[in-house]
Amino acid sequence: MASFIQLLVSGLATGAIYALIAVGFTLLWQTSQTINFAQGEFVMLPAFFILAAMNLGAPFWLATLIGLLLSIVVLGLLFKLIIVDPMLRYGVLPLVISTIALSLFLKEAAKDFYSSQAQPFPALVPATDLNVFGAVISLQSLAVLAIAVATVLALHFLLNKTRLGRCMQATAQNPTLARILGIPVERMVLYTFLINGVLVAIASILISPIYLAKFTNGETLGIAAFLAAIIGGFNQVRGAILGGVILGILDNLSAAYLSSQYRGAFPLIILIAVILLRPQGLLGRVEERTV
Amino acid sequence: MNRLGTFLVAAAAVFAVAVPFFLKPFGIYLISMWAVLTIAAIGLNLTLGYAGQVSMAQGAFVGIGAYTVALLTQADVPYAAAFVAAGLFCFAVGWVLGYPALRVQHHYLAFVTLAFNTLVFLVLRNEEWLTNGIYGINSIARPAFFGWSTGKALDFYFFCLGALTVLSLATWWILRSPWGRAFVALRENPVRALSLGLDTRRYTLIAFAIGSSLAGLAGALYAPLVQYIEPNSFGLGMSFNLLLMVIVGGSGYFFGPFLGALVAVLLPEWMRITEGYYLIVYAMFVMVMMAFCPSGLLGLVERALKAVGRRTPSPILRSEGVGQ
Amino acid sequence: MSRSGLFAAVVAAGLGFTSPVLAQSTVYIPAILELSGAGAVSGTNFRDGMLMAIDEINGKGGILGRKIETPVLDTQSDAGISRAQLQKVLDNKPYVVIGPVFSGSVLVDMALTQQAEIPEIVGGEAAAITQKGGTYVFRTSFGQQFSMPKIANYIRDGIKAKTVAVLWVNNDFGKGGRDTFVKEMAARNIKVVADVSTESGQADFSADVVKIKAANADAIFVYVNEEESARFLREAKKQGIKAPLLGETTLLGQKVIDLAQGAADGVRGHVGLTVDAPIPAVQQFGEKFKKRFNYVCDHNGIKGYTAVYMIKHVTEKIGKFDSKAFAQAAHGMTITPKDEPGILMEATWDKNGDIDRESFLGEVVNGKQKIVATLPKLGK
């Protein structure tokens, strides 16, 4: 039983990270039809910004702020202006290709301009372990869980309880109508990109102490983000969270109790099942088909 | 096809036959690879450019075709039979995959096919008893027909070129048939096609299955070309590469895949001048390309021709433009 | 201008772009390595060690008066691309080819170099490489068929384990090692009670540690890549695994020790090539490497470095740049650091191209690798 709890808790911590990344992914899709295949690399990169700042002499807290700022500007603003805006009028497919190319670009850039070796990353909390019901949890995992939950709650508050948030939701659901109602649609879309920049930076700071900062980090995280977002439900932020948590726990349980060689297969099978049987995801609303 | 187009195609054909005599073995290997990948790209063009379905599984079908041929020829099945088996098997798998999958919208299909591609990779890697697992299958022999061995680079290239010619003629014939017109109708306006009584689902499925079987046939050529196959080669990387070929060449144009495959095969070779940074340059090239001519190189050519005021190419050659 | 005419120019330029101008004062020894993709870390380590050796040798006048010219081509960790790149360099008649590191690529390339009768100095460790009767392939480190018996003997005699759990990474490196290891365990009547595969790049090992704990083996053999080794060790310590953890070279490397932040203490294992070996020449090499490239090199860096010096020595022995003579002379040759300091450790190549060297048994004590025993060459 202790090992089951162990798996559950570790899965929860990993799932919380997947949820963070998936939420940003979902936001971008909802508001601007952007399927960002580079989301994984977006999470990989801020860690390198921070490490570079530290190499230049900044203390950790300052480097983190710099990393956050760079993330918002480069991965939020510049991404929107340079990549997304020019492509959007051509439809979804060229944008998809572009983001795939962007993910390759960012990955190779990190490898060539920083290092191909994994880099240790300073942790926010000391690496001690706690004993809970016979399962050992690292303080780091708890911190990750706590911060991820806090971030999602903050986002939820922003989206549902503030005027700005409700404008963003309106933009996502029906941009034309929102525009008629006087909502500055372009600015709302910009905000989602900036928020995504913040989310990926936080995710990066949380995972890099455990995963180590490496240029290949984005590969698995990116796929996990899509899986979580789709399984949970594309048009609801709550869906992304549920999807992330399910994914994290499922991966652990299937690796431990089922085949370890096919551990990667179970989330994929669930994905296919969800898309075929309930395309709106577990928590999503049914999308009306527009002509 | 207008006269200029015919002339260009004929000239390119002559070129394709003549150029290998001036190349060293590496060059011949490259153009053989071009021929093989073009076949897979033609299949994807059928699925994506004509029927409008985004498939990220084309690489998996190339892999299935390659493994089918490798395993059968090692079991002493004659190559010709193995070749046909690869095509039929991939058609069947494509049909089975497409049947449920094509009910969902475009971007969802991309994810389903992406998941399928990874699953195929996992099966190829883990089922060691069948596929020799991660070690791959080595020393795949090149086929011989009626005494003519394709073992040497030049001979094998002509074999690939021959297969490419036959398969592209077959695709051309399909596109000119009522099926082909149905595909174009599907792409241009699926709702209208449906209202005219066209069974959109069935035709989409046919396009998807044919596209997959072409990938399988490409795989059947890939195996004896490289003479070694392993699960890693047929993952998302290859699927993305093929997608890129179709888009860069011009999605929905008949000759798009030829051009796209040429760029995909030659560009990394040119980029090697940039030493270690060539992947970065390649990625940047793709992003710029997408920003400026998302309808591909042939789309660019069409726009240029229109601007100069010539007659536009026939509907078969024209594309709606991606995503419009 | 007709489109096909433009094409012709373009294609011809692209395809003809393959012949470097070779001066008579240089010798063409191209390298085909994994610089991107899954093998990027191994390939870049190998390349950097190789480059260091080339610079040293060229600085002293080269081999037999000719400077070494080594263009490095990227296989992208794909066997098909590796074969294509090899074909490209073979077209230009190299003297010797260096690389690749990935065993899958080596196996494909071997067929070509055999046909072209060009020696190939490779980094691959899969057993199959030297079991195919190739006469032109030469290793730079133990094949798994030599390293695994050594660790197996240690498990049987040193740890005296009756049951063992094995954790391996699911790529051709890990699987090859696991297969050979399992065979060696069977030959010694030690039962494998847990056989856990992991994915390359995996970050969460809690499920794997749970499985291994449940199996309750006397010893645990860990055969994964470096970052994964560090992550596994931390998880193992966290969940309180008590059984001895054993590894083969990578697990005891300084890099893993640093990344594991204390979780590596107590790890034991067989070490083939390491910059921490108790041999001054090797340690000096490690220092030089770190100073030049700013990171600690793994065993692939040593492989790359010694590969070049091997080529130099054999060439000087035969006195000419003859590829066939090279292969014949290298079989059965022993190179000592006295004859050739760049070889770092005495090495012998047998008729299959396998390499025989001293190796070590080590243990991690207080965050540093300590060598507890030196194992002699198998051939002695």
Side-chain angles (χ1 to χ4, degrees), chain C residues 335-367:
Chain C
I335 309 180
T336 63
K338 225 168 40 168
D339 302 328
E340 183 57 78
I343 204 76
L344 299 180
M345 286 162 59
E346 180 176 317
T348 307
W349 280 269
D350 68 11
K351 64 172 166 42
N352 292 323
D354 272 310
I355 193 176
D356 193 5
R357 279 192 184 109
E358 260 182 0
S359 60
F360 314 93
L361 287 176
E363 186 176 338
V364 179
V365 177
N366 271 334

Side-chain angles (χ1 to χ4, degrees), chain A residues 188-247:
Chain A
M188 292 301 125
V189 171
L190 178 63
Y191 288 158
T192 48
F193 278 84
L194 298 182
I195 291 179
N196 188 38
V198 172
L199 289 174
V200 296
I202 296 178
S204 191
I205 298 172
L206 289 179
I207 62 155
S208 297
I210 308 172
Y211 282 44
L212 307 168
K214 187 160 180 205
F215 71 100
T216 50
N217 277 352
E219 289 166 8
T220 37
L221 289 174
I223 306 267
F226 316 143
L227 297 182
I230 296 180
I231 292 177
F234 238 102
N235 36 34
Q236 293 271 29
V237 166
R238 283 174 287 163
I241 300 166
L242 181 66
V245 168
I246 291 180
L247 202 61

Side-chain angles (χ1 to χ4, degrees), chain A residues 132-148:
Chain A
V132 176
F133 302 119
V136 183
I137 316 167
S138 71
L139 197 57
Q140 274 188 342
S141 297
L142 276 183
V144 165
L145 199 56
I147 297 179

Side-chain angles (χ1 to χ4, degrees), chain C residues 279-348:
Chain C
I279 297 177
V282 175
Q283 289 181 354
Q284 269 164 27
F285 161 78
E287 293 299 321
K288 262 192 304 186
F289 189 99
K290 183 151 175 215
K291 222 165 84 174
R292 172 161 169 181
F293 294 108
N294 232 344
Y295 66 95
V296 178
C297 91
D298 65 11
H299 57 294
N300 289 302
I302 306 182
K303 289 190 219 171
Y305 187 81
T306 51
V308 184
Y309 274 101
M310 179 241 192
I311 297 175
K312 168 174 184 278
H313 188 83
V314 175
T315 311
E316 287 171 351
K317 262 273 153 50
I318 60 179
K320 52 188 169 151
F321 293 97
D322 183 332
S323 303
K324 271 170 86 162
F326 181 103
Q328 278 165 355
H331 286 130
M333 179 177 278
T334 299
I335 309 180
T336 63
K338 225 168 40 168
D339 302 328
E340 183 57 78
I343 204 76
L344 299 180
M345 286 162 59
E346 180 176 317
T348 307

Side-chain angles (χ1 to χ4, degrees), chain A residues 78-97:
Chain A
L78 289 184
F79 175 56
K80 176 173 191 295
L81 290 180
I82 299 179
I83 310 251
V84 177
D85 283 342
M87 305 265 189
L88 222 35
R89 58 202 155 115
Y90 295 130
V92 177
L93 195 57
L95 188 53
V96 165
I97 304 264

Side-chain angles (χ1 to χ4, degrees), chain C residues 208-282:
Chain C
D208 307 292
V209 172
V210 161
K211 266 164 108 161
I212 290 180
K213 245 175 110 174
N216 226 349
D218 296 332
I220 303 170
F221 181 60
V222 181
Y223 201 64
V224 297
N225 299 113
E226 274 154 346
E227 285 110 36
E228 290 77 11
S229 299
R231 294 180 195 137
F232 171 77
L233 288 174
R234 284 168 71 169
E235 187 68 34
K237 180 164 175 220
K238 204 176 86 177
Q239 289 193 38
I241 288 209
K242 293 282 173 279
L245 297 165
L246 302 157
E248 159 53 45
T249 306
T250 46
L251 195 66
L252 297 97
Q254 191 58 43
K255 195 147 77 161
V256 171
I257 298 175
D258 290 336
L259 292 175
Q261 293 171 352
D265 285 343
V267 165
R268 283 173 268 185
H270 174 245
V271 182
L273 284 177
T274 166
V275 289
D276 304 314
I279 297 177
V282 175

Side-chain angles (χ1 to χ4, degrees), chain C residues 21-312:
Chain C
V21 176
L22 294 168
Q24 208 27 46
S25 61
T26 62
V27 57
Y28 180 51
I29 302 181
I32 307 207
L33 296 169
E34 291 73 16
L35 299 179
S36 61
V41 176
S42 316
T44 44
N45 265 280
F46 192 99
R47 176 200 61 190
D48 291 342
M50 187 185 75
L51 288 179
M52 221 166 84
I54 292 175
D55 287 345
E56 286 172 9
I57 295 175
N58 279 346
K60 301 203 186 115
I63 306 180
L64 294 180
R66 279 161 68 166
K67 299 237 163 132
I68 308 174
E69 176 172 333
T70 301
V72 183
L73 294 112
D74 185 4
T75 69
Q76 294 181 48
S77 309
D78 179 87
I81 298 184
S82 155
R83 182 196 197 281
Q85 296 310 308
L86 180 66
Q87 181 67 68
K88 185 158 75 172
V89 302
L90 285 178
D91 286 349
N92 293 314
K93 312 230 183 321
Y95 170 51
V96 170
V97 174
I98 301 183
V101 176
F102 261 23
S103 298
S105 302
V106 172
L107 287 170
V108 179
D109 293 352
M110 266 172 67
L112 287 182
T113 49
Q114 181 75 29
Q115 220 180 29
E117 296 182 327
I118 303 283
E120 196 179 351
I121 322 291
V122 303
E125 291 176 8
I129 291 174
T130 47
Q131 289 169 341
K132 289 189 178 291
T135 48
Y136 282 89
V137 67
F138 299 92
R139 287 199 205 260
T140 49
S141 65
F142 288 138
Q144 282 161 346
Q145 74 264 49
F146 293 111
S147 51
M148 289 305 160
K150 295 200 181 193
I151 185 99
N153 286 342
Y154 179 59
I155 292 180
R156 182 190 57 194
D157 306 326
I159 311 280
K160 303 211 196 331
K162 287 278 173 279
T163 58
V164 72
V166 55
L167 179 90
W168 49 284
V169 59
N170 208 338
N171 55 28
D172 62 352
F173 161 77
K175 181 118 203 312
R178 174 245 176 228
D179 287 346
T180 317
F181 180 77
V182 166
K183 214 169 61 152
E184 295 298 324
M185 287 291 104
R188 287 166 183 72
N189 277 326
I190 304 178
K191 195 153 171 279
V192 177
V193 291
D195 188 349
V196 182
S197 87
T198 63
E199 302 292 330
S200 191
Q202 187 172 315
D204 188 355
F205 284 86
S206 46
D208 307 292
V209 172
V210 161
K211 266 164 108 161
I212 290 180
K213 245 175 110 174
N216 226 349
D218 296 332
I220 303 170
F221 181 60
V222 181
Y223 201 64
V224 297
N225 299 113
E226 274 154 346
E227 285 110 36
E228 290 77 11
S229 299
R231 294 180 195 137
F232 171 77
L233 288 174
R234 284 168 71 169
E235 187 68 34
K237 180 164 175 220
K238 204 176 86 177
Q239 289 193 38
I241 288 209
K242 293 282 173 279
L245 297 165
L246 302 157
E248 159 53 45
T249 306
T250 46
L251 195 66
L252 297 97
Q254 191 58 43
K255 195 147 77 161
V256 171
I257 298 175
D258 290 336
L259 292 175
Q261 293 171 352
D265 285 343
V267 165
R268 283 173 268 185
H270 174 245
V271 182
L273 284 177
T274 166
V275 289
D276 304 314
I279 297 177
V282 175
Q283 289 181 354
Q284 269 164 27
F285 161 78
E287 293 299 321
K288 262 192 304 186
F289 189 99
K290 183 151 175 215
K291 222 165 84 174
R292 172 161 169 181
F293 294 108
N294 232 344
Y295 66 95
V296 178
C297 91
D298 65 11
H299 57 294
N300 289 302
I302 306 182
K303 289 190 219 171
Y305 187 81
T306 51
V308 184
Y309 274 101
M310 179 241 192
I311 297 175
K312 168 174 184 278

Side-chain angles (χ1 to χ4, degrees), chain B residues 160-177:
Chain B
C160 292
L161 193 62
L164 175 63
T165 313
V166 168
L167 291 171
S168 27
L169 284 174
T171 312
W172 175 259
W173 178 80
I174 292 178
L175 288 171
R176 292 195 51 162
S177 73

